[in-house]
Amino acid sequence: MSRPQQITVLGATGSIGLSTLDVIARHPGRYQVFALTGFSRLAELEVLCLQHRPRYAVVPDAAAARHLQEGLIAAGLSTRVLSGEAGLCAVASDPAVDAVMAAIVGAAGLKPTLAAVEAGKKVLLANKEALVMSGALFMQAVRKSGAVLLPIDSEHNAIFQCLPVDYAHGLARSGVRRILLTASGGPFRETPLPALAQVSPEQACAHPNWSMGRKISVDSASMMNKGLELIEACWLFDAQPDQVEVVIHPQSVIHSLVDYVDGSVLAQLGNPDMRTPISHALAWPERIDSGVAPLDLFTIARLDFLPPDESRFPCLRLARQAAEAGGTVPAMLNAANEVAVAAFLERRIRFTEIASIITEVLNLEAAGEAGSLEAVLAADRRARILAEQWLERHGR
Ligand code: NAD
Ligand code: MG
């Protein structure tokens, strides 16, 4: 029997990280945890280390590393604890690693994810922000290293499953007319528009179909998540923004569709549980049990579809404009959104002000070329400063 594949889980303490570990634990002969990383909830990271006995663990700083190291030694584990971005990049690119789950949230995941790509790993991409920020560079690095990039976002995983194997030769050559990216519409799909200014972080994080981290939950409520996914789809599948249509599908059973020129439309369906795309990508091109219940079409009974309303969801329009503008604009959109979402979660701004902040940042800052990582990171920093200035000027 072949040796178990060595897996690094970046962002192991998060929603995707935990679902990944759930799948891995179902297949002990097939996968072994090489490294686990966490940024907060370090007591939980320690418990995960005891369960999965990784070769490495990574925490934010040296003090946290000493603390965790002592705890693990006391428990009789030989796990080595590293810290900071250098530690994350090391466990993402270690020669002994076969696959890396990139599940850190936000721009913080960019460098470790890129390190995995540059090392030619099998990269399971949940951290969409990394690709949104650095799309051209990221995809160039994939081509250069021969990394195998597999989408974890349920929509992109669905699209990947519905495309022909040689789709990289071009969507048009594959006979693809358009990609239909489904969206649940989130918790505020039917909230009266004037009430949107009053919604709380708790309401925004109460997603009707998915249980996720707080940042992506707010993004789903504003539909910025779908906007980021539109940009993500353009890079992953070499599509133009106008080839990607967003369809509101409140049940989250169809995870996306591909529309072909002959009138065929292929869809991937399943219960809304991230262990399905995680298992698909982990085992690809094989299939393994994920622990997800079989889909019961008779219980679901009906599937609804609606066009998105951009007056309700201005973030979706902003993201489409950023996709069309290209260059550093998606990185600025993402950075402004990260600052605005954090401020909303801290109750410093209203939900509707997320879009106001992003609009202002994109209006103030000229677009640039995203030709180097330095240019991307500079655009990210500049957008964060402008977003912070908005907060200061409005006394938040
Ligand atoms: P989460 O908040 O539950 O977990 C985030 C993880 O990142 C945690 O392990 C946290 O410790 C780590 N982290 C946070 N800040 C960090 C930093 N500065 N440096 C290093 N590590 C840091 O988030 P999540 O819901 O698991 O989402 C993770 C990523 O997956 C996001 O990019 C999200 O958009 C994407 N995604 C999530 C889902 C989902 O269902 N949760 C679905 C599709 C895509
Ligand atoms: Mg998604």
Side-chain angles (χ1 to χ4, degrees), residues 11-17 37-41 88 103-106 108 126-129 153-154 210-214 216 225 274:
T13 53
S15 165
I16 293 287
T37 88
F39 192 72
S40 52
R41 293 192 272 170
L88 295 172
I104 291 174
V105 59
N127 179 209
K128 66 193 90 185
E129 295 92 344
D153 226 327
S154 55
W210 299 94
S211 148
M212 309 180 285
R214 282 164 71 78
I216 184 177
N225 183 49
M274 290 306 292

Side-chain angles (χ1 to χ4, degrees), residues 80-103:
R80 260 192 74 194
V81 185
L82 309 178
S83 65
E85 198 166 66
L88 295 172
C89 292
V91 297
S93 59
D94 191 288
V97 170
D98 297 300
V100 175
M101 167 55 78

